Amino acid sequence: MPLSKQREFISPRPDDDWATIVKRVLPDQDPETAMSQLKSWNLHLFARQPPGEFLGSDVIFIEGPRDGKEAPSFFGIEVEVS
Amino acid sequence: MYDLIICDGRIIDGSGLPAFVGDVAITGGIISQVGGRVTGPAASEIDARGQVIAPGFIDPHTHFDVQLLWDGQARPSLEHGVTTVVPGNCSLTLAPLKAEHRQRLVRMFQQIEEMPDAAFNGAFEWTWESFDGYLEAITRQLSINVAPLVGHSVIRLWVMNDDAQKRAATPDEITQMQDLLRQCLTAGAVGLSTSFVDVDHNLLPVPSRFAYLEEIDALGAVLGEFGRMLQVVPEFYNTDITIARVDQLAELSIKHQIPTTFSPLFDSSAMPDNVTRVLARVDEQFARGARVWPQVQTRPIDISFNFDMASLMFAATPAWYMVMRLPHDQKIDVLKNPEARAQLIEAAEPGGDISRFAELRVRDSQNPDLIGRRLGDLAQERQTTPANTMIDLSLEEDLQVHFLAANMGHEDPTRVGPIIARERVHVGASDAGAHIQSFATYGDTGYLFSEFVREGGYLSLEQAVKKLTSDTAQIWNLPNRGLLRPGQAADVVVFDPDTIARDEEHPVNDMPEQGMRYVRAAIGIDTVIVNGEVAYTHANGYTGSTSGVIATQPVQ
């Protein structure tokens, strides 16, 4: 059974930063525009401290959310607490 | 001669097959006969007429790691019919742990699982560093069976020390982690737990979150050598990320042929299609041959709190959370400071929107007239706002007023019932032993029967028992447990199907140094048997038996 289409993501590699990810996943786009777009797809990494810094285990989306908007969050949680 | 015969009960054997009336006989800690009229002498008998005889319940998501060191009964889980617990979830365990890392880990436990300092310091003697040393320490007085996970964060901490919370592991460090995990699994660990969301006492991500996929994959390979479980805490508050985690787990499951589980998965009106979308992905991944078990709790999310602690209640309001983490007297000074208070009010009630705390109620107070009152109503009477009222009431009673935020999510039984009944949903995520000053993490099993079997009819009695017993034993690869069959370990619960439930939540001071926690008593549980020995009866309470074992090994 084929998997349905879901929002595409990658796992970061050691030594990755936003620029290396842009280069790898959006190689044909203008780097500045692509960087801005990539960050806009990963607001969950900007809603915590320090904003925009990702960790080895993080999920990094390489496309936008379904319907063009972020899914609502549970219980208003946007910070890192389980 | 039998050790024990349980007579004339309604036998629900854990397989999901229909109940039938008969006897269950036990010899040497093992079930020797199921069904029929058992003849022959027995050292003791239990009359189970009108009651269900079922396998003991298995709780797959607990944090009893520390409590087991002074309470081998894991109270009050045992009296709810739970005969096996899985501690060590969410990347945190008390072993393997070097002596110099102990207090660091204690502070992580306190931060993440909301457990008091006294639980760790003074209540027991640290006698171990290794995983098997920890198991030796808890098995001296176990009444309940334990299938312990080992935490990824502590494995990382052991190998990388301070760098565990700074950087990627080197290939050599990953090899060391693999060796350490192998030792833990050999000693009896049921699997590895990791977390993608938790932060420590300094609000730094826990060590497991610094792991790149190659590290998790390498540890998955070791789990594959043993066929053992990988448990993760995903970003449960975001559907897209949770689905991404399902996909990651599925890849690891297929590649290394391991079971995986993630917890929690909540239903919430704030994310109405969350469970539907996540479970659809789970179904697709199961169809590929992956094992990715979502754990769903039965109880609604109720949070109790007072201002004396940093409650989960304030997780989404960092300004409040930081104040709540201050020492008692300093906290009072801040709450009395007009400027600081104004900032807190603005953070909680931005632009005068008083909805955030209006529905909260006073749960416990020296003033009985306040108990049960809505903060919104009290605020009107006091001509102020709910947030101000909450601060005022707390200051009036030296921060000891307790508040209740009821039904914060997962509260609609007409939505939760069908979810729990699904074949690929793993009933769990109780968090028993953690968050002890925020809510009672006990009695989810009784609630399954009262709310979703008797009241809602979403599961049959047999299906509910299967969820809590053989399903869990098979998902976690616990040999010889979860079924009433000859040759199985004699973990048995005798209960009244017409009354089994959880009692009301209430505070008790039974933690070390008279520390407070919320608990619930069991309703309808008659007898709990662990490896053939009676561990609890409704009539006489806990027996002090010490028949609990590490449940990852086959019974002899």
Side-chain angles (χ1 to χ4, degrees), chain B residues 63-64 67 70 113-116 119 304 309 431-442 505-508 510-512 515-519:
Chain B
H63 294 278
F64 278 124
Q67 187 175 327
W70 75 81
E113 307 303 346
E114 298 185 301
M115 297 161 84
S304 297
M309 60 192 176
D431 252 348
H435 308 295
I436 60 175
Q437 295 174 339
S438 288
F439 39 81
T441 49
Y442 321 98
E505 181 176 282
H506 65 279
V508 294
D510 67 351
M511 294 298 284
M516 190 281 282
R517 66 171 173 160
Y518 288 107
V519 297

PDB file of all heavy atoms in Angstrom, chain B residues 63-64 67 70 113-116 119 304 309 431-442 505-508 510-512 515-519:
ATOM      1  N   HIS B  63       6.588   6.569  35.283  1.00  0.00           N
ATOM      2  CA  HIS B  63       7.857   7.160  35.753  1.00  0.00           C
ATOM      3  C   HIS B  63       8.089   6.759  37.207  1.00  0.00           C
ATOM      4  O   HIS B  63       8.411   7.589  38.049  1.00  0.00           O
ATOM      5  CB  HIS B  63       7.820   8.676  35.590  1.00  0.00           C
ATOM      6  CG  HIS B  63       7.765   9.103  34.159  1.00  0.00           C
ATOM      7  ND1 HIS B  63       8.885   9.181  33.367  1.00  0.00           N
ATOM      8  CD2 HIS B  63       6.716   9.410  33.356  1.00  0.00           C
ATOM      9  CE1 HIS B  63       8.531   9.563  32.142  1.00  0.00           C
ATOM     10  NE2 HIS B  63       7.227   9.701  32.104  1.00  0.00           N
ATOM     11  N   PHE B  64       7.906   5.480  37.474  1.00  0.00           N
ATOM     12  CA  PHE B  64       8.095   4.965  38.834  1.00  0.00           C
ATOM     13  C   PHE B  64       9.562   4.736  39.185  1.00  0.00           C
ATOM     14  O   PHE B  64       9.842   4.155  40.239  1.00  0.00           O
ATOM     15  CB  PHE B  64       7.323   3.655  39.014  1.00  0.00           C
ATOM     16  CG  PHE B  64       5.857   3.838  39.312  1.00  0.00           C
ATOM     17  CD1 PHE B  64       4.900   3.243  38.521  1.00  0.00           C
ATOM     18  CD2 PHE B  64       5.450   4.603  40.390  1.00  0.00           C
ATOM     19  CE1 PHE B  64       3.547   3.398  38.798  1.00  0.00           C
ATOM     20  CE2 PHE B  64       4.095   4.767  40.677  1.00  0.00           C
ATOM     21  CZ  PHE B  64       3.146   4.157  39.879  1.00  0.00           C
ATOM     22  N   GLN B  67      10.299   6.082  42.717  1.00  0.00           N
ATOM     23  CA  GLN B  67       9.381   5.589  43.748  1.00  0.00           C
ATOM     24  C   GLN B  67       9.642   4.120  44.074  1.00  0.00           C
ATOM     25  O   GLN B  67       9.499   3.697  45.221  1.00  0.00           O
ATOM     26  CB  GLN B  67       7.930   5.790  43.303  1.00  0.00           C
ATOM     27  CG  GLN B  67       6.918   5.461  44.404  1.00  0.00           C
ATOM     28  CD  GLN B  67       5.485   5.765  43.994  1.00  0.00           C
ATOM     29  OE1 GLN B  67       5.226   6.699  43.244  1.00  0.00           O
ATOM     30  NE2 GLN B  67       4.545   4.969  44.498  1.00  0.00           N
ATOM     31  N   TRP B  70      11.741   3.175  47.173  1.00  0.00           N
ATOM     32  CA  TRP B  70      11.236   3.136  48.556  1.00  0.00           C
ATOM     33  C   TRP B  70       9.831   2.548  48.642  1.00  0.00           C
ATOM     34  O   TRP B  70       9.328   2.295  49.724  1.00  0.00           O
ATOM     35  CB  TRP B  70      11.269   4.526  49.201  1.00  0.00           C
ATOM     36  CG  TRP B  70      10.206   5.465  48.734  1.00  0.00           C
ATOM     37  CD1 TRP B  70       8.908   5.509  49.156  1.00  0.00           C
ATOM     38  CD2 TRP B  70      10.326   6.483  47.754  1.00  0.00           C
ATOM     39  NE1 TRP B  70       8.223   6.490  48.484  1.00  0.00           N
ATOM     40  CE2 TRP B  70       9.069   7.111  47.636  1.00  0.00           C
ATOM     41  CE3 TRP B  70      11.395   6.941  46.955  1.00  0.00           C
ATOM     42  CZ2 TRP B  70       8.844   8.156  46.741  1.00  0.00           C
ATOM     43  CZ3 TRP B  70      11.162   7.987  46.076  1.00  0.00           C
ATOM     44  CH2 TRP B  70       9.901   8.581  45.976  1.00  0.00           C
ATOM     45  N   GLU B 113       9.204  15.820  34.929  1.00  0.00           N
ATOM     46  CA  GLU B 113       8.150  14.951  35.456  1.00  0.00           C
ATOM     47  C   GLU B 113       7.511  15.508  36.721  1.00  0.00           C
ATOM     48  O   GLU B 113       6.711  14.827  37.354  1.00  0.00           O
ATOM     49  CB  GLU B 113       8.716  13.543  35.706  1.00  0.00           C
ATOM     50  CG  GLU B 113       9.428  12.919  34.508  1.00  0.00           C
ATOM     51  CD  GLU B 113       8.555  12.825  33.256  1.00  0.00           C
ATOM     52  OE1 GLU B 113       7.331  12.995  33.366  1.00  0.00           O
ATOM     53  OE2 GLU B 113       9.105  12.602  32.169  1.00  0.00           O
ATOM     54  N   GLU B 114       7.899  16.718  37.107  1.00  0.00           N
ATOM     55  CA  GLU B 114       7.279  17.402  38.245  1.00  0.00           C
ATOM     56  C   GLU B 114       7.319  16.535  39.504  1.00  0.00           C
ATOM     57  O   GLU B 114       6.287  16.194  40.084  1.00  0.00           O
ATOM     58  CB  GLU B 114       5.845  17.787  37.923  1.00  0.00           C
ATOM     59  CG  GLU B 114       5.737  18.760  36.759  1.00  0.00           C
ATOM     60  CD  GLU B 114       4.312  19.226  36.526  1.00  0.00           C
ATOM     61  OE1 GLU B 114       3.438  18.402  36.276  1.00  0.00           O
ATOM     62  OE2 GLU B 114       4.084  20.443  36.596  1.00  0.00           O
ATOM     63  N   MET B 115       8.537  16.167  39.890  1.00  0.00           N
ATOM     64  CA  MET B 115       8.702  15.340  41.078  1.00  0.00           C
ATOM     65  C   MET B 115       9.542  16.107  42.098  1.00  0.00           C
ATOM     66  O   MET B 115      10.504  16.766  41.747  1.00  0.00           O
ATOM     67  CB  MET B 115       9.365  14.016  40.688  1.00  0.00           C
ATOM     68  CG  MET B 115       8.478  13.224  39.742  1.00  0.00           C
ATOM     69  SD  MET B 115       9.341  11.969  38.830  1.00  0.00           S
ATOM     70  CE  MET B 115       9.328  10.664  40.010  1.00  0.00           C
ATOM     71  N   PRO B 116       9.181  16.018  43.384  1.00  0.00           N
ATOM     72  CA  PRO B 116       9.844  16.849  44.401  1.00  0.00           C
ATOM     73  C   PRO B 116      11.252  16.377  44.737  1.00  0.00           C
ATOM     74  O   PRO B 116      11.591  15.197  44.571  1.00  0.00           O
ATOM     75  CB  PRO B 116       8.930  16.705  45.617  1.00  0.00           C
ATOM     76  CG  PRO B 116       8.254  15.396  45.426  1.00  0.00           C
ATOM     77  CD  PRO B 116       8.112  15.198  43.951  1.00  0.00           C
ATOM     78  N   ALA B 119      11.971  13.317  46.928  1.00  0.00           N
ATOM     79  CA  ALA B 119      11.812  11.977  46.352  1.00  0.00           C
ATOM     80  C   ALA B 119      13.154  11.378  45.959  1.00  0.00           C
ATOM     81  O   ALA B 119      13.302  10.154  45.884  1.00  0.00           O
ATOM     82  CB  ALA B 119      10.896  12.039  45.132  1.00  0.00           C
ATOM     83  N   SER B 304      -4.348  20.050  38.314  1.00  0.00           N
ATOM     84  CA  SER B 304      -4.468  20.716  39.607  1.00  0.00           C
ATOM     85  C   SER B 304      -3.127  21.377  39.920  1.00  0.00           C
ATOM     86  O   SER B 304      -2.078  20.843  39.558  1.00  0.00           O
ATOM     87  CB  SER B 304      -4.814  19.715  40.704  1.00  0.00           C
ATOM     88  OG  SER B 304      -6.065  19.125  40.454  1.00  0.00           O
ATOM     89  N   MET B 309       4.513  25.613  43.292  1.00  0.00           N
ATOM     90  CA  MET B 309       5.317  24.788  42.382  1.00  0.00           C
ATOM     91  C   MET B 309       5.185  25.335  40.962  1.00  0.00           C
ATOM     92  O   MET B 309       4.279  26.093  40.660  1.00  0.00           O
ATOM     93  CB  MET B 309       4.814  23.346  42.427  1.00  0.00           C
ATOM     94  CG  MET B 309       3.372  23.236  42.011  1.00  0.00           C
ATOM     95  SD  MET B 309       2.670  21.625  42.387  1.00  0.00           S
ATOM     96  CE  MET B 309       0.979  21.900  41.871  1.00  0.00           C
ATOM     97  N   ASP B 431       1.478   8.024  32.547  1.00  0.00           N
ATOM     98  CA  ASP B 431       2.480   8.864  33.231  1.00  0.00           C
ATOM     99  C   ASP B 431       2.538   8.567  34.729  1.00  0.00           C
ATOM    100  O   ASP B 431       2.999   9.417  35.512  1.00  0.00           O
ATOM    101  CB  ASP B 431       2.206  10.351  33.031  1.00  0.00           C
ATOM    102  CG  ASP B 431       3.209  10.997  32.080  1.00  0.00           C
ATOM    103  OD1 ASP B 431       4.229  10.356  31.777  1.00  0.00           O
ATOM    104  OD2 ASP B 431       2.983  12.138  31.666  1.00  0.00           O
ATOM    105  N   ALA B 432       2.070   7.418  35.156  1.00  0.00           N
ATOM    106  CA  ALA B 432       1.991   7.105  36.588  1.00  0.00           C
ATOM    107  C   ALA B 432       3.332   7.347  37.274  1.00  0.00           C
ATOM    108  O   ALA B 432       4.382   6.958  36.769  1.00  0.00           O
ATOM    109  CB  ALA B 432       1.556   5.658  36.787  1.00  0.00           C
ATOM    110  N   GLY B 433       3.260   7.995  38.418  1.00  0.00           N
ATOM    111  CA  GLY B 433       4.472   8.294  39.174  1.00  0.00           C
ATOM    112  C   GLY B 433       5.065   9.648  38.861  1.00  0.00           C
ATOM    113  O   GLY B 433       5.994  10.080  39.545  1.00  0.00           O
ATOM    114  N   ALA B 434       4.551  10.322  37.840  1.00  0.00           N
ATOM    115  CA  ALA B 434       5.062  11.652  37.470  1.00  0.00           C
ATOM    116  C   ALA B 434       3.960  12.699  37.659  1.00  0.00           C
ATOM    117  O   ALA B 434       2.818  12.364  37.937  1.00  0.00           O
ATOM    118  CB  ALA B 434       5.534  11.651  36.023  1.00  0.00           C
ATOM    119  N   HIS B 435       4.352  13.963  37.500  1.00  0.00           N
ATOM    120  CA  HIS B 435       3.388  15.079  37.599  1.00  0.00           C
ATOM    121  C   HIS B 435       2.523  14.939  38.846  1.00  0.00           C
ATOM    122  O   HIS B 435       1.338  15.271  38.832  1.00  0.00           O
ATOM    123  CB  HIS B 435       2.506  15.139  36.343  1.00  0.00           C
ATOM    124  CG  HIS B 435       3.291  15.153  35.071  1.00  0.00           C
ATOM    125  ND1 HIS B 435       4.124  16.184  34.724  1.00  0.00           N
ATOM    126  CD2 HIS B 435       3.405  14.236  34.073  1.00  0.00           C
ATOM    127  CE1 HIS B 435       4.697  15.916  33.568  1.00  0.00           C
ATOM    128  NE2 HIS B 435       4.292  14.740  33.163  1.00  0.00           N
ATOM    129  N   ILE B 436       3.157  14.467  39.914  1.00  0.00           N
ATOM    130  CA  ILE B 436       2.363  14.027  41.064  1.00  0.00           C
ATOM    131  C   ILE B 436       1.684  15.164  41.793  1.00  0.00           C
ATOM    132  O   ILE B 436       0.759  14.924  42.551  1.00  0.00           O
ATOM    133  CB  ILE B 436       3.232  13.209  42.042  1.00  0.00           C
ATOM    134  CG1 ILE B 436       4.401  14.056  42.559  1.00  0.00           C
ATOM    135  CG2 ILE B 436       3.712  11.934  41.384  1.00  0.00           C
ATOM    136  CD1 ILE B 436       5.229  13.350  43.607  1.00  0.00           C
ATOM    137  N   GLN B 437       2.145  16.400  41.569  1.00  0.00           N
ATOM    138  CA  GLN B 437       1.492  17.533  42.213  1.00  0.00           C
ATOM    139  C   GLN B 437       0.600  18.304  41.244  1.00  0.00           C
ATOM    140  O   GLN B 437       0.151  19.418  41.550  1.00  0.00           O
ATOM    141  CB  GLN B 437       2.539  18.452  42.850  1.00  0.00           C
ATOM    142  CG  GLN B 437       3.269  17.731  43.978  1.00  0.00           C
ATOM    143  CD  GLN B 437       4.411  18.528  44.572  1.00  0.00           C
ATOM    144  OE1 GLN B 437       4.925  19.437  43.938  1.00  0.00           O
ATOM    145  NE2 GLN B 437       4.814  18.180  45.773  1.00  0.00           N
ATOM    146  N   SER B 438       0.366  17.709  40.057  1.00  0.00           N
ATOM    147  CA  SER B 438      -0.528  18.349  39.085  1.00  0.00           C
ATOM    148  C   SER B 438      -1.798  17.546  38.857  1.00  0.00           C
ATOM    149  O   SER B 438      -2.861  18.110  38.613  1.00  0.00           O
ATOM    150  CB  SER B 438       0.173  18.520  37.729  1.00  0.00           C
ATOM    151  OG  SER B 438       1.145  19.529  37.789  1.00  0.00           O
ATOM    152  N   PHE B 439      -1.678  16.248  38.864  1.00  0.00           N
ATOM    153  CA  PHE B 439      -2.871  15.408  38.681  1.00  0.00           C
ATOM    154  C   PHE B 439      -2.534  13.988  39.095  1.00  0.00           C
ATOM    155  O   PHE B 439      -1.362  13.616  39.195  1.00  0.00           O
ATOM    156  CB  PHE B 439      -3.384  15.437  37.236  1.00  0.00           C
ATOM    157  CG  PHE B 439      -2.332  15.435  36.165  1.00  0.00           C
ATOM    158  CD1 PHE B 439      -1.715  14.260  35.779  1.00  0.00           C
ATOM    159  CD2 PHE B 439      -1.956  16.617  35.538  1.00  0.00           C
ATOM    160  CE1 PHE B 439      -0.758  14.259  34.774  1.00  0.00           C
ATOM    161  CE2 PHE B 439      -0.991  16.631  34.533  1.00  0.00           C
ATOM    162  CZ  PHE B 439      -0.386  15.441  34.150  1.00  0.00           C
ATOM    163  N   ALA B 440      -3.589  13.208  39.330  1.00  0.00           N
ATOM    164  CA  ALA B 440      -3.403  11.802  39.708  1.00  0.00           C
ATOM    165  C   ALA B 440      -3.249  10.977  38.446  1.00  0.00           C
ATOM    166  O   ALA B 440      -4.108  11.005  37.567  1.00  0.00           O
ATOM    167  CB  ALA B 440      -4.590  11.309  40.520  1.00  0.00           C
ATOM    168  N   THR B 441      -2.152  10.281  38.359  1.00  0.00           N
ATOM    169  CA  THR B 441      -1.853   9.498  37.161  1.00  0.00           C
ATOM    170  C   THR B 441      -2.213   8.025  37.373  1.00  0.00           C
ATOM    171  O   THR B 441      -1.626   7.155  36.758  1.00  0.00           O
ATOM    172  CB  THR B 441      -0.360   9.641  36.826  1.00  0.00           C
ATOM    173  OG1 THR B 441       0.390   9.390  38.034  1.00  0.00           O
ATOM    174  CG2 THR B 441      -0.045  11.025  36.321  1.00  0.00           C
ATOM    175  N   TYR B 442      -3.166   7.783  38.234  1.00  0.00           N
ATOM    176  CA  TYR B 442      -3.553   6.413  38.572  1.00  0.00           C
ATOM    177  C   TYR B 442      -5.051   6.233  38.321  1.00  0.00           C
ATOM    178  O   TYR B 442      -5.816   7.168  38.472  1.00  0.00           O
ATOM    179  CB  TYR B 442      -3.244   6.136  40.051  1.00  0.00           C
ATOM    180  CG  TYR B 442      -1.940   6.773  40.484  1.00  0.00           C
ATOM    181  CD1 TYR B 442      -1.937   7.993  41.142  1.00  0.00           C
ATOM    182  CD2 TYR B 442      -0.726   6.180  40.151  1.00  0.00           C
ATOM    183  CE1 TYR B 442      -0.747   8.609  41.501  1.00  0.00           C
ATOM    184  CE2 TYR B 442       0.469   6.794  40.496  1.00  0.00           C
ATOM    185  CZ  TYR B 442       0.453   8.010  41.177  1.00  0.00           C
ATOM    186  OH  TYR B 442       1.621   8.620  41.512  1.00  0.00           O
ATOM    187  N   GLU B 505     -10.085  12.160  42.639  1.00  0.00           N
ATOM    188  CA  GLU B 505      -8.702  12.582  42.900  1.00  0.00           C
ATOM    189  C   GLU B 505      -8.655  13.330  44.234  1.00  0.00           C
ATOM    190  O   GLU B 505      -9.534  14.135  44.530  1.00  0.00           O
ATOM    191  CB  GLU B 505      -8.269  13.504  41.769  1.00  0.00           C
ATOM    192  CG  GLU B 505      -6.857  14.005  41.869  1.00  0.00           C
ATOM    193  CD  GLU B 505      -6.493  14.845  40.644  1.00  0.00           C
ATOM    194  OE1 GLU B 505      -6.206  14.267  39.595  1.00  0.00           O
ATOM    195  OE2 GLU B 505      -6.535  16.089  40.753  1.00  0.00           O
ATOM    196  N   HIS B 506      -7.616  13.048  45.024  1.00  0.00           N
ATOM    197  CA  HIS B 506      -7.458  13.784  46.272  1.00  0.00           C
ATOM    198  C   HIS B 506      -5.981  13.866  46.643  1.00  0.00           C
ATOM    199  O   HIS B 506      -5.192  12.994  46.279  1.00  0.00           O
ATOM    200  CB  HIS B 506      -8.258  13.129  47.402  1.00  0.00           C
ATOM    201  CG  HIS B 506      -7.772  11.758  47.758  1.00  0.00           C
ATOM    202  ND1 HIS B 506      -8.124  10.638  47.033  1.00  0.00           N
ATOM    203  CD2 HIS B 506      -6.961  11.319  48.750  1.00  0.00           C
ATOM    204  CE1 HIS B 506      -7.558   9.568  47.575  1.00  0.00           C
ATOM    205  NE2 HIS B 506      -6.832   9.957  48.616  1.00  0.00           N
ATOM    206  N   PRO B 507      -5.581  14.919  47.372  1.00  0.00           N
ATOM    207  CA  PRO B 507      -4.179  15.043  47.778  1.00  0.00           C
ATOM    208  C   PRO B 507      -3.879  14.173  48.994  1.00  0.00           C
ATOM    209  O   PRO B 507      -4.720  14.027  49.877  1.00  0.00           O
ATOM    210  CB  PRO B 507      -4.037  16.528  48.113  1.00  0.00           C
ATOM    211  CG  PRO B 507      -5.419  16.971  48.488  1.00  0.00           C
ATOM    212  CD  PRO B 507      -6.376  16.096  47.752  1.00  0.00           C
ATOM    213  N   VAL B 508      -2.689  13.595  49.022  1.00  0.00           N
ATOM    214  CA  VAL B 508      -2.200  12.875  50.207  1.00  0.00           C
ATOM    215  C   VAL B 508      -0.754  13.312  50.449  1.00  0.00           C
ATOM    216  O   VAL B 508      -0.089  13.811  49.546  1.00  0.00           O
ATOM    217  CB  VAL B 508      -2.246  11.334  50.027  1.00  0.00           C
ATOM    218  CG1 VAL B 508      -3.674  10.842  49.910  1.00  0.00           C
ATOM    219  CG2 VAL B 508      -1.428  10.899  48.816  1.00  0.00           C
ATOM    220  N   ASP B 510       2.006  11.359  51.288  1.00  0.00           N
ATOM    221  CA  ASP B 510       2.690  10.080  51.503  1.00  0.00           C
ATOM    222  C   ASP B 510       4.023   9.982  50.766  1.00  0.00           C
ATOM    223  O   ASP B 510       4.602   8.905  50.666  1.00  0.00           O
ATOM    224  CB  ASP B 510       1.782   8.909  51.114  1.00  0.00           C
ATOM    225  CG  ASP B 510       1.496   8.854  49.610  1.00  0.00           C
ATOM    226  OD1 ASP B 510       1.845   9.810  48.893  1.00  0.00           O
ATOM    227  OD2 ASP B 510       0.930   7.843  49.159  1.00  0.00           O
ATOM    228  N   MET B 511       4.502  11.105  50.262  1.00  0.00           N
ATOM    229  CA  MET B 511       5.823  11.101  49.629  1.00  0.00           C
ATOM    230  C   MET B 511       6.888  11.300  50.716  1.00  0.00           C
ATOM    231  O   MET B 511       6.558  11.680  51.839  1.00  0.00           O
ATOM    232  CB  MET B 511       5.905  12.218  48.584  1.00  0.00           C
ATOM    233  CG  MET B 511       4.975  12.026  47.402  1.00  0.00           C
ATOM    234  SD  MET B 511       5.345  10.538  46.455  1.00  0.00           S
ATOM    235  CE  MET B 511       6.806  11.053  45.571  1.00  0.00           C
ATOM    236  N   PRO B 512       8.158  11.032  50.402  1.00  0.00           N
ATOM    237  CA  PRO B 512       9.198  11.266  51.401  1.00  0.00           C
ATOM    238  C   PRO B 512       9.097  12.674  51.994  1.00  0.00           C
ATOM    239  O   PRO B 512       8.748  13.630  51.289  1.00  0.00           O
ATOM    240  CB  PRO B 512      10.485  11.075  50.599  1.00  0.00           C
ATOM    241  CG  PRO B 512      10.101  10.112  49.532  1.00  0.00           C
ATOM    242  CD  PRO B 512       8.695  10.480  49.163  1.00  0.00           C
ATOM    243  N   GLY B 515       5.791  14.739  51.664  1.00  0.00           N
ATOM    244  CA  GLY B 515       5.491  15.468  50.442  1.00  0.00           C
ATOM    245  C   GLY B 515       4.101  15.131  49.913  1.00  0.00           C
ATOM    246  O   GLY B 515       3.589  14.037  50.116  1.00  0.00           O
ATOM    247  N   MET B 516       3.490  16.111  49.252  1.00  0.00           N
ATOM    248  CA  MET B 516       2.126  15.948  48.746  1.00  0.00           C
ATOM    249  C   MET B 516       2.121  15.392  47.337  1.00  0.00           C
ATOM    250  O   MET B 516       3.015  15.667  46.546  1.00  0.00           O
ATOM    251  CB  MET B 516       1.427  17.316  48.740  1.00  0.00           C
ATOM    252  CG  MET B 516      -0.077  17.273  48.459  1.00  0.00           C
ATOM    253  SD  MET B 516      -0.539  17.083  46.708  1.00  0.00           S
ATOM    254  CE  MET B 516      -0.290  18.733  46.086  1.00  0.00           C
ATOM    255  N   ARG B 517       1.119  14.611  47.047  1.00  0.00           N
ATOM    256  CA  ARG B 517       0.829  14.228  45.666  1.00  0.00           C
ATOM    257  C   ARG B 517      -0.661  13.965  45.555  1.00  0.00           C
ATOM    258  O   ARG B 517      -1.344  13.771  46.560  1.00  0.00           O
ATOM    259  CB  ARG B 517       1.620  12.986  45.241  1.00  0.00           C
ATOM    260  CG  ARG B 517       1.227  11.725  45.988  1.00  0.00           C
ATOM    261  CD  ARG B 517       1.886  10.490  45.378  1.00  0.00           C
ATOM    262  NE  ARG B 517       1.636   9.305  46.184  1.00  0.00           N
ATOM    263  CZ  ARG B 517       1.734   8.060  45.732  1.00  0.00           C
ATOM    264  NH1 ARG B 517       2.090   7.840  44.486  1.00  0.00           N
ATOM    265  NH2 ARG B 517       1.493   7.025  46.517  1.00  0.00           N
ATOM    266  N   TYR B 518      -1.155  13.976  44.309  1.00  0.00           N
ATOM    267  CA  TYR B 518      -2.550  13.630  44.064  1.00  0.00           C
ATOM    268  C   TYR B 518      -2.629  12.146  43.733  1.00  0.00           C
ATOM    269  O   TYR B 518      -1.802  11.628  42.970  1.00  0.00           O
ATOM    270  CB  TYR B 518      -3.113  14.432  42.897  1.00  0.00           C
ATOM    271  CG  TYR B 518      -3.343  15.885  43.211  1.00  0.00           C
ATOM    272  CD1 TYR B 518      -2.510  16.864  42.687  1.00  0.00           C
ATOM    273  CD2 TYR B 518      -4.393  16.275  44.037  1.00  0.00           C
ATOM    274  CE1 TYR B 518      -2.716  18.203  42.980  1.00  0.00           C
ATOM    275  CE2 TYR B 518      -4.609  17.607  44.335  1.00  0.00           C
ATOM    276  CZ  TYR B 518      -3.764  18.574  43.796  1.00  0.00           C
ATOM    277  OH  TYR B 518      -3.967  19.889  44.086  1.00  0.00           O
ATOM    278  N   VAL B 519      -3.628  11.481  44.289  1.00  0.00           N
ATOM    279  CA  VAL B 519      -3.839  10.061  44.002  1.00  0.00           C
ATOM    280  C   VAL B 519      -5.333   9.822  43.780  1.00  0.00           C
ATOM    281  O   VAL B 519      -6.158  10.707  44.013  1.00  0.00           O
ATOM    282  CB  VAL B 519      -3.341   9.158  45.162  1.00  0.00           C
ATOM    283  CG1 VAL B 519      -1.848   9.303  45.365  1.00  0.00           C
ATOM    284  CG2 VAL B 519      -4.100   9.454  46.445  1.00  0.00           C
TER     285      VAL B 519
END
